Amino acid sequence: MHINQNILNKVNEWLTPVFDKETQESITEMMTSSPKELEDCFYKNLEFGTGGMRGIMGVGTNRINQYTLGKNTQGISDYLKKSFVGEELKVVIAYDCRHNSDTLAKVVADVFSANGIKVYLFSELRPTPELSFAVRYLKCHAGIVLTASHNPPEYNGYKVYWQDGGQLVPPQDSEIIQIIEDLKYSDILFEANETLIEYIDNDIDEAFWQSTVENASFNTPQLAKDNLKIVYTSLHGTSIKAIPSVLAKAGYNDVNIVAEQSVPDGNFPTVKSPNPEEPEALTMALNLADEINADIVVGTDPDSDRLGVAVRDLDGKMKLLNGNQSMVIMTAFLLEQWKRTDKLTGNEFIGSTIVSTPLMLELASAYGVECKVGLTGFKWIAKFIKDFPNQQFIGGGEESFGFMVGDAVRDKDAVAAILLVCEIAAQAKASGSSLFKELINLSLDFGFYKEHLISITKKGIEGANEIKQMMINLRENPLKEINEQRVVCIEDYQSSKALDLMSNETYDITIPKSNVLIYYLEDGSKICARPSGTEPKIKFYFSVNTELPSIEEYNIIEQELDNKIKNIITEMNLI
């Protein structure tokens, strides 16, 4: 097959002595045996997306390896020196259970130390939220975690955190990316200064656990805690290093761990995908819950930033909550706790995203607080905390099964969120209710909102072009009517413009630019199209709503909303 000359130029660079013998041999073999794979390895440079940089491990500019991560780290080192002149620079590094995460973390530590930067390196795998906590606790200038979150086993990734404990946001992100792009691979300093690398573990763990218990506990009586039967799974990931200890420290003693999934393993052998968004991932936990008649199931993704929750429904059967449902039940509980303790002054806010449920806006309004809405990704919620220091952040989340309790951790945090959701469940059960009934009560008060997500995977160069064309079609040939409902407004976050189709007026969108398109229908439905920033996928988010007259009609109304979503998906030819 013919390979583009630009790709060949990159390949030839990687065949020079700057790169080790093993890398060169792998490339030489691919040139004869797998030219298409070679093309995919080099056709672009891995980019920073919604949650940092993620990619398949291997050789090449479009892969995660010691050279692509080394170049990132060299660029960040140069930027830190430029940004904090005269300061003793410090960074902290953590990693997850994935293949090569520990060795890649040491490469990153080596490069920082070779640049004269003090490095705190966790001695073993740790949850991502603990890294965010450690940045501020250790007063570091930056933090790195080696993780690919919930991606398949062949992936790894690199998340960058700044002084505030949040992920990189503008303008630092584009400035750092430019420095990285300007570097040559020969500029990377790989020779470690071991005297600048300090291994950390138990002291940080204890501080993180204590902080979590303080932030996510709300005066639940011990008897209520004792009466809550919990099933927990780490899905072979890092949360096993924190959640059992945090729950025990908080007084929850009936915690039943899914043993087959408790050992960290980058192959994730018991699941198709280690993602609590996928119902299949929690099958073993749900089975255990039925065996022991548990009240609640909680599980995390490999780096412990996402949480999955299942509770007993009105018929006593375990029911998985989606990310929007768990987010609103936690947010409503926090708001009510702040109200009961007279902490609401009108100067507080909660956080959400443009693709999440509109119910968050309703909750904020009811409690007299602001709901700040940003792009997908918790870095934007963390940015709100940094940009508005005179306002207090209560909590917030996004539809992708993430939540943040307070501001001790500046990223989605399944450790604190799981403790919080257990507090809610324990208190509800003690009062004769249940977490599921509390969720229904919110629907009675604010309307029944139902959300759904579909992801369409398109791999490789052709897939990237298909996704690009889908977004072009939605922009250039916008739908006027969906499921017999007129489209009343279209928001285009790429152009920062919104069009009101009823008045034919346009208005500006003040949220930063992003490749996102949202359709609003006359019945209050919302449809969002967004290419993923970290995976070869395009995602479609659906939100529909109606009144819920009574708790007895819950199942009927839910079915009606489910059917509405199915009709929209069918009419848009997405299945």
Side-chain angles (χ1 to χ4, degrees):
M1 66 176 277
H2 172 74
I3 298 180
N4 181 283
Q5 186 59 48
N6 288 333
I7 294 175
L8 285 176
N9 291 341
K10 289 183 182 180
V11 170
N12 288 329
E13 180 189 2
W14 280 59
L15 291 173
T16 64
V18 171
F19 299 86
D20 64 36
K21 187 178 178 182
E22 185 180 351
T23 296
Q24 294 181 55
E25 287 174 350
S26 296
I27 293 169
T28 302
E29 183 182 345
M30 270 194 288
M31 290 177 79
T32 54
S33 63
S34 307
K36 189 168 180 61
E37 182 184 354
L38 182 74
E39 182 182 57
D40 193 61
C41 287
F42 284 93
Y43 84 93
K44 67 174 183 176
N45 294 345
L46 272 183
E47 299 171 348
F48 280 92
T50 311
M53 178 182 280
R54 289 184 215 163
I56 296 169
M57 289 176 279
V59 299
T61 60
N62 189 33
R63 293 290 186 265
I64 293 288
N65 53 64
Q66 62 179 316
Y67 298 104
T68 52
L69 297 192
K71 196 176 180 186
N72 285 352
T73 308
Q74 184 63 52
I76 293 167
S77 298
D78 293 347
Y79 187 79
L80 286 169
K81 291 178 182 179
K82 175 183 164 185
S83 302
F84 303 103
V85 178
E87 295 188 34
E88 182 189 349
L89 298 173
K90 298 186 291 183
V91 300
V92 56
I93 301 170
Y95 58 91
D96 69 3
C97 59
R98 289 180 177 272
H99 301 303
N100 304 315
S101 278
D102 53 350
T103 54
L104 289 171
K106 183 58 168 64
V107 169
V108 172
D110 289 349
V111 175
F112 276 127
S113 71
N115 281 276
I117 296 171
K118 168 74 176 177
V119 178
Y120 297 101
L121 175 61
F122 277 100
S123 58
E124 292 181 315
L125 74 172
R126 288 295 188 278
T128 289
E130 185 167 352
L131 183 280
S132 172
F133 171 84
V135 171
R136 295 173 67 222
Y137 183 78
L138 294 168
K139 297 180 172 58
C140 289
H141 296 82
I144 306 289
V145 61
L146 281 296
T147 177
S149 189
H150 57 282
N151 285 54
E154 64 270 23
Y155 280 74
N156 214 318
Y158 182 95
K159 289 184 181 178
V160 184
Y161 292 78
W162 213 236
Q163 277 183 304
D164 64 321
Q167 287 189 54
L168 276 183
V169 291
Q172 286 92 354
D173 55 357
S174 58
E175 292 170 358
I176 289 173
I177 289 167
Q178 188 57 56
I179 289 175
I180 293 169
E181 289 297 315
D182 290 342
L183 285 171
K184 298 188 292 289
Y185 286 99
S186 57
D187 294 330
I188 305 168
L189 303 180
F190 280 116
E191 285 296 321
N193 180 349
E194 296 290 349
T195 64
L196 289 177
I197 300 176
E198 179 181 338
Y199 290 89
I200 56 174
D201 38 49
N202 295 338
D203 289 347
I204 308 301
D205 294 340
E206 288 288 346
F208 174 59
W209 300 343
Q210 185 61 38
S211 171
T212 301
V213 172
E214 289 172 1
N215 286 319
S217 296
F218 291 91
N219 300 313
T220 303
Q222 187 57 50
L223 182 60
K225 295 177 182 179
D226 292 339
N227 286 337
L228 187 72
K229 189 180 286 290
I230 302 164
V231 166
Y232 155 70
T233 177
S234 61
L235 296 182
H236 305 288
T238 61
S239 69
I240 198 71
K241 293 286 188 180
I243 287 174
S245 299
V246 165
L247 289 176
K249 203 174 187 71
Y252 289 91
N253 300 309
D254 198 349
V255 180
N256 303 271
I257 300 172
V258 179
E260 302 91 332
Q261 297 177 327
S262 64
V263 177
D265 187 338
N267 289 320
F268 313 114
T270 65
V271 292
K272 291 178 183 175
S273 169
N275 184 358
E277 285 185 278
E278 305 290 342
E280 180 271 338
L282 295 180
T283 299
M284 295 181 79
L286 291 169
N287 290 340
L288 178 59
D290 284 337
E291 285 175 25
I292 65 174
N293 195 31
D295 299 297
I296 186 169
V297 166
V298 289
T300 64
D301 66 346
D303 71 326
S304 189
D305 58 1
R306 297 183 180 206
L307 76 154
V309 180
V311 293
R312 300 218 171 263
D313 64 13
L314 296 175
D315 300 318
K317 296 179 180 177
M318 293 304 298
K319 184 180 179 71
L320 288 164
L321 303 185
N322 64 39
N324 286 294
Q325 290 172 319
S326 57
M327 171 172 62
V328 297
I329 194 70
M330 286 188 276
T331 303
F333 180 84
L334 288 175
L335 287 167
E336 186 61 26
Q337 294 299 314
W338 279 58
K339 180 182 177 182
R340 287 180 184 177
T341 53
D342 294 322
K343 290 169 65 179
L344 291 180
T345 66
N347 200 35
E348 296 79 24
F349 74 97
I350 59 175
S352 186
T353 72
I354 58 175
V355 300
S356 299
T357 177
L359 182 51
M360 289 290 281
L361 297 168
E362 300 291 335
L363 286 172
S365 177
Y367 283 88
V369 303
E370 183 183 358
C371 181
K372 295 184 188 293
V373 178
L375 296 174
T376 303
F378 269 68
K379 62 185 180 184
W380 300 108
I381 297 178
K383 190 174 188 298
F384 289 143
I385 297 172
K386 182 170 65 173
D387 290 349
F388 298 93
N390 296 323
Q391 284 183 275
Q392 277 194 285
F393 175 69
I394 294 173
E398 62 182 9
E399 56 72 39
S400 63
F401 288 61
F403 198 80
M404 191 157 70
V405 186
D407 64 0
V409 169
R410 304 289 178 93
D411 201 355
K412 51 182 175 278
D413 177 5
V415 183
I418 280 177
L419 175 54
L420 175 61
V421 85
C422 288
E423 291 278 283
I424 300 168
Q427 291 189 22
K429 184 178 181 181
S431 66
S433 181
S434 70
L435 190 148
F436 193 73
K437 286 179 182 175
E438 295 303 306
L439 184 63
I440 294 176
N441 287 338
L442 290 177
S443 297
L444 289 169
D445 292 340
F446 299 104
F448 194 160
Y449 285 79
K450 190 70 187 284
E451 281 77 28
H452 183 68
L453 164 69
I454 63 171
S455 295
I456 302 171
T457 300
K458 302 282 186 180
K459 294 185 178 180
I461 302 172
E462 295 85 355
N465 289 332
E466 285 184 60
I467 289 172
K468 184 178 179 181
Q469 190 59 49
M470 290 173 79
M471 292 301 292
I472 289 172
N473 291 342
L474 285 169
R475 285 189 169 96
E476 294 184 353
N477 304 294
L479 299 168
K480 299 290 194 298
E481 186 178 288
I482 305 172
N483 195 33
E484 299 181 347
Q485 295 292 318
R486 288 181 301 171
V487 177
V488 296
C489 182
I490 302 174
E491 292 179 342
D492 187 346
Y493 287 80
Q494 187 162 275
S495 66
S496 296
K497 296 290 182 183
L499 174 62
D500 184 329
L501 295 175
M502 297 297 97
S503 65
N504 208 34
E505 294 180 356
T506 61
Y507 57 90
D508 293 331
I509 296 172
T510 57
I511 289 173
K513 289 181 184 292
S514 184
N515 189 13
V516 180
L517 199 65
I518 301 181
Y519 286 79
Y520 294 91
L521 309 187
E522 60 184 331
D523 65 352
S525 299
K526 173 182 168 185
I527 302 155
C528 173
R530 170 186 163 264
S532 172
T534 51
E535 301 172 89
K537 294 179 178 180
I538 182 169
K539 298 184 176 184
F540 289 88
Y541 307 78
F542 307 90
S543 177
V544 297
N545 66 87
T546 190
E547 294 298 311
L548 179 63
S550 67
I551 193 170
E552 290 77 20
E553 295 175 78
Y554 181 87
N555 290 333
I556 296 171
I557 299 297
E558 182 177 41
Q559 188 60 56
E560 288 178 4
L561 293 177
D562 285 340
N563 289 338
K564 180 181 281 192
I565 290 171
K566 287 177 184 176
N567 291 339
I568 291 171
I569 293 170
T570 300
E571 189 164 319
M572 292 181 68
N573 295 315
L574 297 177
I575 54 171

